[in-house]
């Protein structure tokens, strides 16, 4: 009967140890990635500065403003 209790006890101890290790590794990861990079850094990494400039048409003729009365 004691042998039947040893296996579930070892499994429970292993499960608890794995949960503790996972929790510790997740707290280390979240502490290191908490800071968000600035928009300028994100644009530099993505290479936005190398994109060609787009010409935007003037939409004021298509959608005129309401005339003052």
């Amino acid at each position: 009967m004691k042998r039947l209790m040893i296996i579930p006890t070892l499994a429970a101890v292993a499960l608890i140890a794995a949960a503790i290790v996972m929790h510790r590794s997740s707290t280390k990861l979240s502490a290191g990635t908490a800071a968000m990079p600035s928009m300028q850094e994100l644009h530099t990494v993505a290479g936005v500065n190398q994109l060609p400039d787009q010409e935007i048409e003037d939409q004021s003729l298509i959608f005129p403003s309401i005339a003052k009365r």
Side-chain angles (χ1 to χ4, degrees):
M1 196 61 137
K2 287 184 180 181
R3 289 184 186 173
L4 293 176
M5 293 299 291
I6 290 175
I7 294 173
T9 304
L10 290 176
V13 170
L15 184 64
I16 292 171
I20 290 172
V21 169
M22 293 290 286
H23 178 68
R24 286 186 180 173
S25 66
S26 68
T27 56
K28 288 180 185 176
L29 178 65
S30 64
T33 59
M36 183 72 180
S38 69
M39 290 300 290
Q40 182 65 31
E41 290 173 339
L42 289 175
H43 282 205
T44 303
V45 170
V48 174
N49 298 333
Q50 298 174 356
L51 295 174
D53 292 334
Q54 291 181 341
E55 293 186 23
I56 300 174
E57 295 181 16
D58 186 10
Q59 297 279 323
S60 62
L61 297 176
I62 298 172
F63 301 105
S65 60
I66 298 175
K68 296 180 181 179
R69 293 182 186 187

